[in-house]
Amino acid sequence: MYPTSSQRKYWTFSNEQEIQALRLKQNQDYIEKHGADMDPQTRLHFFLTPEEERLLLKQYELHLRDFCKRFDPPMPRCIIGTAFHYFKRFYLHNSPMDFHPKEILATCVYLSCKVEEFNVSIGQFVGNIKGDRLKAMDIILSNELLLMQQLNYYLTVHNPYRPIEGFLIDIKTRCSMANPERLRPGIDEFVDKTFLTDACLLYSPSQIALAAVLHAASKEQENLDSYVTESLFHSAQNKLPVLVEAVRKIRTMVRILDFPPKDRVKAIEKKLDKCRNQENNPDSQIYKQRMKKMMCEEDDIDLDSSYHLAATDSSIDGSLMNISQS
């Protein structure tokens, strides 16, 4: 399924440079739009740099992971994976200065619950959010359509969990390893860390799954090299070098994973409060006025509809009389 999926076609990239170029473009486009009247030095101090955006998004990826892990009722792991995909995809085409990550984060998880058929109401969902839950509900529901639009409505996500189950079954069948189930803790830990990297935007779910299995096996002092070469790729040796390189790079990405310094992130968030797009800030007067205007327009549409319905009541009654007489 993955080779013919929208994920493979539209959301899997050739290299990290391609991803960084997309993120850099969003940063530059936002600054050009909102800082047209500023000199270069003022722009530098007022707006977030690409590096500051990177650190900010990394911090909110940690928040996303923690929110999902403490969610009540407990979430299936596939929801966490799908939410991470949505979050990363959204910020390939948007700057965090335009849409604050704390608001998009919750919307990504909520949409993921729907797509993965985890049946929780919006009331249950915001019950897991600290603070003003009514406000959180409004923000999530307001951003849901925006998120789907920015994902181009490609909502199906292929996570590494199914390939992992396949590998474990195959290892039990064709490998002499004792109790392969003991690999699960190491596999789960590794996959969780891959979502804090860009691996899911660069590699297939099966490549990430195999990297996780091999990593967990090495932690258990098990060697699965012969299983990979003789069982998995016995009849496709020409594909082996590409796989080995992909697995090596995924494991390297996880190994060099860094976490943003908390004091640096606090400074970035203070800077973001000043340079964010106030039209998308639920606490700003501009946003509140825009929402009020939209609600008034919707009320006008409803009134117009009611008027047209009332104006045609007699014709409707006539039609019903004709039906009853026939």
Side-chain angles (χ1 to χ4, degrees), residues 57-226:
L57 291 175
K58 272 188 170 292
Q59 182 61 45
Y60 276 92
E61 286 175 0
L62 292 172
H63 292 328
L64 191 160
R65 180 196 64 183
D66 294 342
F67 174 73
C68 290
K69 287 194 171 183
R70 65 172 182 264
F71 196 87
D72 182 30
M75 282 182 177
R77 296 177 65 81
C78 62
I79 291 173
I80 303 174
T82 298
F84 265 106
H85 274 268
Y86 291 168
F87 189 78
K88 289 176 182 292
R89 292 177 185 183
F90 183 88
Y91 285 109
L92 290 177
H93 299 293
N94 295 279
S95 167
M97 290 184 284
D98 218 353
F99 299 98
H100 200 297
K102 70 182 176 185
E103 292 151 15
I104 298 302
L105 179 158
T107 311
C108 287
V109 180
Y110 181 65
L111 181 60
S112 177
C113 288
K114 284 187 172 183
V115 171
E116 298 294 347
E117 299 181 353
F118 181 56
N119 189 23
V120 291
S121 67
I122 184 64
Q124 285 178 294
F125 187 89
V126 298
N128 287 271
I129 296 175
K130 298 176 181 177
D132 189 337
R133 290 169 179 170
L134 188 60
K135 179 182 174 183
M137 186 186 300
D138 288 341
I139 290 171
I140 291 168
L141 295 178
S142 298
N143 283 331
E144 188 177 9
L145 180 58
L146 166 72
L147 175 60
M148 289 192 287
Q149 289 171 336
Q150 293 301 308
L151 298 174
N152 291 325
Y153 299 97
Y154 296 125
L155 304 182
T156 301
V157 171
H158 297 268
N159 283 301
Y161 304 114
R162 185 172 292 179
I164 285 169
E165 295 305 317
F167 282 130
L168 288 176
I169 291 170
D170 198 45
I171 289 169
K172 292 173 186 176
T173 305
R174 299 198 287 174
C175 194
S176 59
M177 180 190 297
N179 187 23
E181 284 295 321
R182 62 195 164 97
L183 300 181
R184 281 194 185 274
I187 290 172
D188 291 343
E189 179 188 11
F190 185 89
V191 171
D192 287 348
K193 287 181 178 178
T194 64
F195 288 128
L196 301 174
T197 73
D198 287 331
C200 66
L201 298 174
L202 294 166
Y203 301 102
S204 71
S206 59
Q207 289 172 331
I208 294 172
L210 184 57
V213 170
L214 294 176
H215 170 79
S218 67
K219 285 185 70 175
E220 294 290 325
Q221 282 79 49
E222 295 283 355
N223 191 322
L224 290 177
D225 290 351
S226 60

Side-chain angles (χ1 to χ4, degrees), residues 1-52:
M1 293 291 289
Y2 168 77
T4 59
S5 67
S6 60
Q7 180 174 333
R8 172 67 183 87
K9 187 173 182 179
Y10 301 109
W11 299 107
T12 303
F13 300 89
S14 302
N15 52 59
E16 292 181 77
Q17 289 71 31
E18 192 177 351
I19 295 171
Q20 297 309 322
L22 284 172
R23 290 171 177 156
L24 178 62
K25 182 180 185 301
Q26 303 316 314
N27 176 270
Q28 292 175 338
D29 287 351
Y30 182 88
I31 294 173
E32 287 295 325
K33 180 179 178 180
H34 295 273
D37 299 330
M38 298 180 185
D39 60 75
Q41 196 64 26
T42 304
R43 286 185 180 188
L44 184 63
H45 288 93
F46 185 74
F47 295 107
L48 300 188
T49 65
E51 174 63 12
E52 287 172 332

